[in-house]
Amino acid sequence: METKEYLQMMREMKDFTFATLDEDGRPATRIIDVMLVDDDRLYFLTARGKEFYRQLMDQQFVSMTGMTKNWEMLTLSGRVKRVSQEMLTPVFEANPSMNDVYPGDSRGILEVFCLYEGQGEYFNLSKTPIYRETFFLGNPVEHKKGYEITDICISCGICAGLCPQKCIGEGEPYIIRQENCLHCGLCAENCPTEAIRRR
Ligand code: SF4
Ligand code: SF4
């Protein structure tokens, strides 16, 4: 799917765990609603008095993850920035229940943020084999994950026999179908020539 389709899916899922770092450098998480999306941006909000707000302003970066009832996970990590408070109007129009939480002028304590550059992943655990796909907002430096097989592979087939998702194909060298890989590392731990390395 394209990025805009994944963003639309995130809007429909709505509730995501958002992670930042606290003042001691430890992970801090909370559930935040995806308030709006367009083709290449995602919008959420928080109040100026919250620690989350201070962490966003300091770090300008967030990681978020959520799951559908069908075991489809979406993650997205990337750069965020505060945008004009004028965005509160379309956000409240798209999410009328916000009027109950912040009625009248109290909405003025809120600030809207947009995630504008980052890397996301769709991960479907309900399929066999599992399926994953990476998508991008803006032009981030790609962060590759998982494993790959190098030229020192001797085509013994041990990894293919052990792989829980049967996603390693024969060849010289053998090859991992990245879209079906769990990133578990079982193949790398058992390769006799250490031909399998992290990407
Ligand atoms: S176990 Fe190592 S050497 Fe054997 S097929 Fe797999 S990658 Fe190649
Ligand atoms: S990391 Fe796990 S799932 Fe991926 S190819 Fe290796 S054994 Fe298979």
Side-chain angles (χ1 to χ4, degrees):
M1 292 205 298
E2 294 183 21
T3 293
K4 64 181 180 183
E5 294 171 283
Y6 281 126
L7 288 175
Q8 194 57 50
M9 190 175 167
M10 294 174 103
R11 166 64 178 153
E12 286 161 18
M13 290 164 67
K14 201 164 182 186
D15 294 330
F16 279 77
T17 301
F18 277 59
T20 49
L21 296 175
D22 69 15
E23 60 271 27
D24 298 319
R26 294 177 176 144
T29 61
R30 72 290 290 167
I31 301 294
I32 296 288
D33 285 356
V34 175
M35 290 289 176
L36 275 180
V37 297
D38 56 28
D39 284 355
D40 54 5
R41 290 178 183 221
L42 177 149
Y43 298 89
F44 59 97
L45 57 71
T46 190
R48 280 190 300 281
K50 292 182 183 281
E51 288 187 3
F52 183 41
Y53 174 78
R54 289 197 295 280
Q55 291 159 6
L56 290 170
M57 293 301 286
D58 286 348
Q59 297 160 25
Q60 308 276 307
F61 194 94
V62 76
S63 287
M64 52 186 290
T65 187
M67 186 167 70
T68 70
K69 61 180 188 299
N70 298 321
W71 304 95
E72 296 169 284
M73 283 172 268
L74 274 166
T75 61
L76 181 58
S77 298
R79 297 180 186 279
V80 297
K81 63 183 176 186
R82 189 180 59 185
V83 297
S84 164
Q85 269 199 322
E86 290 177 8
M87 279 299 293
L88 282 173
T89 301
V91 162
F92 270 64
E93 285 173 358
N95 303 272
S97 62
M98 285 301 297
N99 286 299
D100 299 330
V101 186
Y102 287 97
D105 292 341
S106 67
R107 72 168 68 175
I109 193 66
L110 299 173
E111 299 283 353
V112 181
F113 287 81
C114 121
L115 202 164
Y116 63 96
E117 184 176 72
Q119 178 171 332
E121 186 175 66
Y122 169 80
F123 185 50
N124 189 339
L125 261 180
S126 70
K127 284 184 152 188
T128 305
I130 64 95
Y131 179 77
R132 62 167 79 235
E133 183 175 49
T134 302
F135 60 95
F136 301 95
L137 267 66
N139 295 296
V141 177
E142 182 177 1
H143 176 59
K144 289 189 174 175
K145 298 177 183 173
Y147 294 85
E148 63 188 0
I149 300 177
T150 63
D151 287 342
I152 58 174
C153 167
I154 56 171
S155 302
C156 68
I158 290 174
C159 57
L162 291 172
C163 174
Q165 292 295 313
K166 301 299 174 213
C167 65
I168 303 178
E170 292 181 10
E172 296 178 2
Y174 271 44
I175 188 162
I176 296 172
R177 287 190 299 280
Q178 297 295 334
E179 68 273 22
N180 303 130
C181 173
L182 286 166
H183 299 173
C184 68
L186 185 62
C187 53
E189 278 194 2
N190 287 278
C191 173
T193 63
E194 299 185 352
I196 305 177
R197 68 182 179 198
R198 283 186 185 278
R199 298 171 80 208

PDB file of all heavy atoms in Angstrom, residues 92-117:
ATOM      1  N   PHE A  92     -10.920  19.832  15.821  1.00  0.00           N
ATOM      2  CA  PHE A  92     -12.151  19.690  16.601  1.00  0.00           C
ATOM      3  C   PHE A  92     -13.337  19.336  15.701  1.00  0.00           C
ATOM      4  O   PHE A  92     -14.240  18.622  16.106  1.00  0.00           O
ATOM      5  CB  PHE A  92     -12.420  20.977  17.401  1.00  0.00           C
ATOM      6  CG  PHE A  92     -11.793  20.970  18.768  1.00  0.00           C
ATOM      7  CD1 PHE A  92     -10.415  20.925  18.913  1.00  0.00           C
ATOM      8  CD2 PHE A  92     -12.577  20.975  19.916  1.00  0.00           C
ATOM      9  CE1 PHE A  92      -9.827  20.906  20.174  1.00  0.00           C
ATOM     10  CE2 PHE A  92     -11.998  20.951  21.182  1.00  0.00           C
ATOM     11  CZ  PHE A  92     -10.621  20.921  21.309  1.00  0.00           C
ATOM     12  N   GLU A  93     -13.328  19.840  14.464  1.00  0.00           N
ATOM     13  CA  GLU A  93     -14.418  19.480  13.540  1.00  0.00           C
ATOM     14  C   GLU A  93     -14.378  17.991  13.210  1.00  0.00           C
ATOM     15  O   GLU A  93     -15.415  17.346  13.088  1.00  0.00           O
ATOM     16  CB  GLU A  93     -14.288  20.306  12.256  1.00  0.00           C
ATOM     17  CG  GLU A  93     -14.733  21.754  12.438  1.00  0.00           C
ATOM     18  CD  GLU A  93     -14.454  22.616  11.219  1.00  0.00           C
ATOM     19  OE1 GLU A  93     -13.873  22.106  10.231  1.00  0.00           O
ATOM     20  OE2 GLU A  93     -14.794  23.809  11.271  1.00  0.00           O
ATOM     21  N   ALA A  94     -13.174  17.452  13.076  1.00  0.00           N
ATOM     22  CA  ALA A  94     -13.044  16.033  12.734  1.00  0.00           C
ATOM     23  C   ALA A  94     -13.216  15.126  13.946  1.00  0.00           C
ATOM     24  O   ALA A  94     -13.432  13.924  13.793  1.00  0.00           O
ATOM     25  CB  ALA A  94     -11.681  15.781  12.085  1.00  0.00           C
ATOM     26  N   ASN A  95     -13.103  15.701  15.155  1.00  0.00           N
ATOM     27  CA  ASN A  95     -13.182  14.901  16.380  1.00  0.00           C
ATOM     28  C   ASN A  95     -14.091  15.625  17.380  1.00  0.00           C
ATOM     29  O   ASN A  95     -13.624  16.175  18.379  1.00  0.00           O
ATOM     30  CB  ASN A  95     -11.782  14.720  16.985  1.00  0.00           C
ATOM     31  CG  ASN A  95     -10.816  14.079  16.016  1.00  0.00           C
ATOM     32  OD1 ASN A  95     -10.729  12.865  15.944  1.00  0.00           O
ATOM     33  ND2 ASN A  95     -10.088  14.897  15.253  1.00  0.00           N
ATOM     34  N   PRO A  96     -15.425  15.656  17.125  1.00  0.00           N
ATOM     35  CA  PRO A  96     -16.325  16.470  17.943  1.00  0.00           C
ATOM     36  C   PRO A  96     -16.327  16.109  19.427  1.00  0.00           C
ATOM     37  O   PRO A  96     -16.663  16.949  20.263  1.00  0.00           O
ATOM     38  CB  PRO A  96     -17.703  16.229  17.302  1.00  0.00           C
ATOM     39  CG  PRO A  96     -17.523  15.118  16.331  1.00  0.00           C
ATOM     40  CD  PRO A  96     -16.085  14.992  15.998  1.00  0.00           C
ATOM     41  N   SER A  97     -15.945  14.889  19.777  1.00  0.00           N
ATOM     42  CA  SER A  97     -15.931  14.532  21.206  1.00  0.00           C
ATOM     43  C   SER A  97     -14.906  15.342  21.984  1.00  0.00           C
ATOM     44  O   SER A  97     -14.975  15.429  23.218  1.00  0.00           O
ATOM     45  CB  SER A  97     -15.641  13.032  21.376  1.00  0.00           C
ATOM     46  OG  SER A  97     -14.364  12.721  20.866  1.00  0.00           O
ATOM     47  N   MET A  98     -13.973  15.979  21.277  1.00  0.00           N
ATOM     48  CA  MET A  98     -12.986  16.828  21.953  1.00  0.00           C
ATOM     49  C   MET A  98     -13.668  18.015  22.644  1.00  0.00           C
ATOM     50  O   MET A  98     -13.148  18.566  23.609  1.00  0.00           O
ATOM     51  CB  MET A  98     -11.952  17.343  20.948  1.00  0.00           C
ATOM     52  CG  MET A  98     -10.933  16.306  20.508  1.00  0.00           C
ATOM     53  SD  MET A  98      -9.975  15.639  21.879  1.00  0.00           S
ATOM     54  CE  MET A  98      -9.107  17.090  22.465  1.00  0.00           C
ATOM     55  N   ASN A  99     -14.862  18.396  22.153  1.00  0.00           N
ATOM     56  CA  ASN A  99     -15.591  19.509  22.778  1.00  0.00           C
ATOM     57  C   ASN A  99     -16.048  19.158  24.192  1.00  0.00           C
ATOM     58  O   ASN A  99     -16.272  20.047  25.017  1.00  0.00           O
ATOM     59  CB  ASN A  99     -16.805  19.882  21.922  1.00  0.00           C
ATOM     60  CG  ASN A  99     -16.388  20.621  20.661  1.00  0.00           C
ATOM     61  OD1 ASN A  99     -15.794  21.692  20.728  1.00  0.00           O
ATOM     62  ND2 ASN A  99     -16.676  20.019  19.510  1.00  0.00           N
ATOM     63  N   ASP A 100     -16.218  17.858  24.473  1.00  0.00           N
ATOM     64  CA  ASP A 100     -16.597  17.452  25.829  1.00  0.00           C
ATOM     65  C   ASP A 100     -15.400  17.505  26.773  1.00  0.00           C
ATOM     66  O   ASP A 100     -15.540  17.777  27.963  1.00  0.00           O
ATOM     67  CB  ASP A 100     -17.163  16.019  25.808  1.00  0.00           C
ATOM     68  CG  ASP A 100     -18.413  15.924  24.951  1.00  0.00           C
ATOM     69  OD1 ASP A 100     -19.149  16.930  24.864  1.00  0.00           O
ATOM     70  OD2 ASP A 100     -18.633  14.852  24.350  1.00  0.00           O
ATOM     71  N   VAL A 101     -14.234  17.205  26.233  1.00  0.00           N
ATOM     72  CA  VAL A 101     -13.034  17.166  27.078  1.00  0.00           C
ATOM     73  C   VAL A 101     -12.480  18.577  27.304  1.00  0.00           C
ATOM     74  O   VAL A 101     -12.069  18.927  28.407  1.00  0.00           O
ATOM     75  CB  VAL A 101     -11.955  16.266  26.425  1.00  0.00           C
ATOM     76  CG1 VAL A 101     -10.758  16.082  27.363  1.00  0.00           C
ATOM     77  CG2 VAL A 101     -12.531  14.914  26.037  1.00  0.00           C
ATOM     78  N   TYR A 102     -12.487  19.374  26.262  1.00  0.00           N
ATOM     79  CA  TYR A 102     -11.987  20.759  26.347  1.00  0.00           C
ATOM     80  C   TYR A 102     -13.062  21.704  25.799  1.00  0.00           C
ATOM     81  O   TYR A 102     -12.973  22.190  24.671  1.00  0.00           O
ATOM     82  CB  TYR A 102     -10.686  20.912  25.547  1.00  0.00           C
ATOM     83  CG  TYR A 102      -9.490  20.266  26.208  1.00  0.00           C
ATOM     84  CD1 TYR A 102      -9.068  18.994  25.846  1.00  0.00           C
ATOM     85  CD2 TYR A 102      -8.784  20.932  27.215  1.00  0.00           C
ATOM     86  CE1 TYR A 102      -7.979  18.394  26.465  1.00  0.00           C
ATOM     87  CE2 TYR A 102      -7.697  20.341  27.842  1.00  0.00           C
ATOM     88  CZ  TYR A 102      -7.298  19.074  27.460  1.00  0.00           C
ATOM     89  OH  TYR A 102      -6.217  18.488  28.083  1.00  0.00           O
ATOM     90  N   PRO A 103     -14.134  21.961  26.610  1.00  0.00           N
ATOM     91  CA  PRO A 103     -15.238  22.804  26.115  1.00  0.00           C
ATOM     92  C   PRO A 103     -14.831  24.278  26.015  1.00  0.00           C
ATOM     93  O   PRO A 103     -13.948  24.748  26.746  1.00  0.00           O
ATOM     94  CB  PRO A 103     -16.321  22.611  27.186  1.00  0.00           C
ATOM     95  CG  PRO A 103     -15.587  22.200  28.415  1.00  0.00           C
ATOM     96  CD  PRO A 103     -14.375  21.449  27.969  1.00  0.00           C
ATOM     97  N   GLY A 104     -15.494  24.975  25.087  1.00  0.00           N
ATOM     98  CA  GLY A 104     -15.324  26.420  24.968  1.00  0.00           C
ATOM     99  C   GLY A 104     -13.881  26.830  24.737  1.00  0.00           C
ATOM    100  O   GLY A 104     -13.126  26.178  23.992  1.00  0.00           O
ATOM    101  N   ASP A 105     -13.499  27.924  25.439  1.00  0.00           N
ATOM    102  CA  ASP A 105     -12.165  28.480  25.220  1.00  0.00           C
ATOM    103  C   ASP A 105     -11.048  27.650  25.858  1.00  0.00           C
ATOM    104  O   ASP A 105      -9.870  27.947  25.642  1.00  0.00           O
ATOM    105  CB  ASP A 105     -12.098  29.907  25.777  1.00  0.00           C
ATOM    106  CG  ASP A 105     -12.963  30.864  24.964  1.00  0.00           C
ATOM    107  OD1 ASP A 105     -13.299  30.508  23.809  1.00  0.00           O
ATOM    108  OD2 ASP A 105     -13.312  31.934  25.483  1.00  0.00           O
ATOM    109  N   SER A 106     -11.401  26.629  26.643  1.00  0.00           N
ATOM    110  CA  SER A 106     -10.341  25.833  27.290  1.00  0.00           C
ATOM    111  C   SER A 106      -9.467  25.128  26.258  1.00  0.00           C
ATOM    112  O   SER A 106      -8.348  24.730  26.565  1.00  0.00           O
ATOM    113  CB  SER A 106     -10.936  24.820  28.279  1.00  0.00           C
ATOM    114  OG  SER A 106     -11.683  23.824  27.600  1.00  0.00           O
ATOM    115  N   ARG A 107      -9.973  25.016  25.039  1.00  0.00           N
ATOM    116  CA  ARG A 107      -9.153  24.376  23.999  1.00  0.00           C
ATOM    117  C   ARG A 107      -7.856  25.153  23.727  1.00  0.00           C
ATOM    118  O   ARG A 107      -6.933  24.630  23.103  1.00  0.00           O
ATOM    119  CB  ARG A 107      -9.942  24.206  22.694  1.00  0.00           C
ATOM    120  CG  ARG A 107     -10.197  25.517  21.953  1.00  0.00           C
ATOM    121  CD  ARG A 107     -10.706  25.303  20.542  1.00  0.00           C
ATOM    122  NE  ARG A 107     -12.036  24.735  20.482  1.00  0.00           N
ATOM    123  CZ  ARG A 107     -12.711  24.554  19.349  1.00  0.00           C
ATOM    124  NH1 ARG A 107     -12.164  24.905  18.181  1.00  0.00           N
ATOM    125  NH2 ARG A 107     -13.915  24.045  19.356  1.00  0.00           N
ATOM    126  N   GLY A 108      -7.812  26.390  24.180  1.00  0.00           N
ATOM    127  CA  GLY A 108      -6.619  27.201  23.959  1.00  0.00           C
ATOM    128  C   GLY A 108      -5.371  26.673  24.633  1.00  0.00           C
ATOM    129  O   GLY A 108      -4.256  27.083  24.303  1.00  0.00           O
ATOM    130  N   ILE A 109      -5.528  25.736  25.591  1.00  0.00           N
ATOM    131  CA  ILE A 109      -4.357  25.145  26.254  1.00  0.00           C
ATOM    132  C   ILE A 109      -3.723  24.053  25.385  1.00  0.00           C
ATOM    133  O   ILE A 109      -2.651  23.538  25.678  1.00  0.00           O
ATOM    134  CB  ILE A 109      -4.746  24.565  27.639  1.00  0.00           C
ATOM    135  CG1 ILE A 109      -3.503  24.242  28.497  1.00  0.00           C
ATOM    136  CG2 ILE A 109      -5.602  23.328  27.492  1.00  0.00           C
ATOM    137  CD1 ILE A 109      -2.681  25.409  28.914  1.00  0.00           C
ATOM    138  N   LEU A 110      -4.389  23.712  24.286  1.00  0.00           N
ATOM    139  CA  LEU A 110      -3.920  22.617  23.432  1.00  0.00           C
ATOM    140  C   LEU A 110      -2.997  23.115  22.325  1.00  0.00           C
ATOM    141  O   LEU A 110      -3.152  24.227  21.824  1.00  0.00           O
ATOM    142  CB  LEU A 110      -5.115  21.898  22.804  1.00  0.00           C
ATOM    143  CG  LEU A 110      -6.098  21.259  23.785  1.00  0.00           C
ATOM    144  CD1 LEU A 110      -7.324  20.740  23.048  1.00  0.00           C
ATOM    145  CD2 LEU A 110      -5.418  20.131  24.567  1.00  0.00           C
ATOM    146  N   GLU A 111      -2.061  22.255  21.943  1.00  0.00           N
ATOM    147  CA  GLU A 111      -1.169  22.527  20.817  1.00  0.00           C
ATOM    148  C   GLU A 111      -1.201  21.326  19.870  1.00  0.00           C
ATOM    149  O   GLU A 111      -1.198  20.175  20.310  1.00  0.00           O
ATOM    150  CB  GLU A 111       0.271  22.742  21.295  1.00  0.00           C
ATOM    151  CG  GLU A 111       0.450  23.916  22.244  1.00  0.00           C
ATOM    152  CD  GLU A 111       0.431  25.277  21.537  1.00  0.00           C
ATOM    153  OE1 GLU A 111       0.416  25.318  20.290  1.00  0.00           O
ATOM    154  OE2 GLU A 111       0.433  26.294  22.258  1.00  0.00           O
ATOM    155  N   VAL A 112      -1.218  21.621  18.588  1.00  0.00           N
ATOM    156  CA  VAL A 112      -1.264  20.563  17.570  1.00  0.00           C
ATOM    157  C   VAL A 112       0.153  20.300  17.062  1.00  0.00           C
ATOM    158  O   VAL A 112       0.918  21.237  16.800  1.00  0.00           O
ATOM    159  CB  VAL A 112      -2.177  20.964  16.395  1.00  0.00           C
ATOM    160  CG1 VAL A 112      -2.234  19.848  15.355  1.00  0.00           C
ATOM    161  CG2 VAL A 112      -3.578  21.298  16.898  1.00  0.00           C
ATOM    162  N   PHE A 113       0.481  19.037  16.947  1.00  0.00           N
ATOM    163  CA  PHE A 113       1.775  18.618  16.389  1.00  0.00           C
ATOM    164  C   PHE A 113       1.541  17.819  15.114  1.00  0.00           C
ATOM    165  O   PHE A 113       0.509  17.167  14.963  1.00  0.00           O
ATOM    166  CB  PHE A 113       2.541  17.750  17.391  1.00  0.00           C
ATOM    167  CG  PHE A 113       3.112  18.525  18.538  1.00  0.00           C
ATOM    168  CD1 PHE A 113       2.309  18.873  19.619  1.00  0.00           C
ATOM    169  CD2 PHE A 113       4.445  18.923  18.529  1.00  0.00           C
ATOM    170  CE1 PHE A 113       2.836  19.609  20.679  1.00  0.00           C
ATOM    171  CE2 PHE A 113       4.976  19.654  19.577  1.00  0.00           C
ATOM    172  CZ  PHE A 113       4.170  19.997  20.663  1.00  0.00           C
ATOM    173  N   CYS A 114       2.533  17.884  14.251  1.00  0.00           N
ATOM    174  CA  CYS A 114       2.452  17.079  13.043  1.00  0.00           C
ATOM    175  C   CYS A 114       3.709  16.236  12.900  1.00  0.00           C
ATOM    176  O   CYS A 114       4.822  16.687  13.188  1.00  0.00           O
ATOM    177  CB  CYS A 114       2.191  17.990  11.860  1.00  0.00           C
ATOM    178  SG  CYS A 114       3.323  18.011  10.557  1.00  0.00           S
ATOM    179  N   LEU A 115       3.527  14.970  12.552  1.00  0.00           N
ATOM    180  CA  LEU A 115       4.641  14.071  12.244  1.00  0.00           C
ATOM    181  C   LEU A 115       4.832  14.151  10.734  1.00  0.00           C
ATOM    182  O   LEU A 115       3.940  13.775   9.975  1.00  0.00           O
ATOM    183  CB  LEU A 115       4.298  12.652  12.701  1.00  0.00           C
ATOM    184  CG  LEU A 115       5.461  11.693  12.944  1.00  0.00           C
ATOM    185  CD1 LEU A 115       5.016  10.478  13.742  1.00  0.00           C
ATOM    186  CD2 LEU A 115       6.172  11.261  11.697  1.00  0.00           C
ATOM    187  N   TYR A 116       5.984  14.691  10.308  1.00  0.00           N
ATOM    188  CA  TYR A 116       6.136  15.047   8.897  1.00  0.00           C
ATOM    189  C   TYR A 116       7.246  14.291   8.173  1.00  0.00           C
ATOM    190  O   TYR A 116       7.327  14.341   6.938  1.00  0.00           O
ATOM    191  CB  TYR A 116       6.396  16.555   8.762  1.00  0.00           C
ATOM    192  CG  TYR A 116       7.687  17.007   9.423  1.00  0.00           C
ATOM    193  CD1 TYR A 116       8.861  17.138   8.685  1.00  0.00           C
ATOM    194  CD2 TYR A 116       7.731  17.269  10.783  1.00  0.00           C
ATOM    195  CE1 TYR A 116      10.039  17.536   9.287  1.00  0.00           C
ATOM    196  CE2 TYR A 116       8.903  17.665  11.393  1.00  0.00           C
ATOM    197  CZ  TYR A 116      10.051  17.792  10.642  1.00  0.00           C
ATOM    198  OH  TYR A 116      11.234  18.169  11.247  1.00  0.00           O
ATOM    199  N   GLU A 117       8.129  13.633   8.921  1.00  0.00           N
ATOM    200  CA  GLU A 117       9.206  12.877   8.264  1.00  0.00           C
ATOM    201  C   GLU A 117       9.535  11.665   9.111  1.00  0.00           C
ATOM    202  O   GLU A 117       9.824  11.809  10.303  1.00  0.00           O
ATOM    203  CB  GLU A 117      10.455  13.740   8.089  1.00  0.00           C
ATOM    204  CG  GLU A 117      11.564  13.016   7.330  1.00  0.00           C
ATOM    205  CD  GLU A 117      12.751  13.927   7.097  1.00  0.00           C
ATOM    206  OE1 GLU A 117      13.462  14.220   8.073  1.00  0.00           O
ATOM    207  OE2 GLU A 117      12.949  14.341   5.951  1.00  0.00           O
TER     208      GLU A 117
END
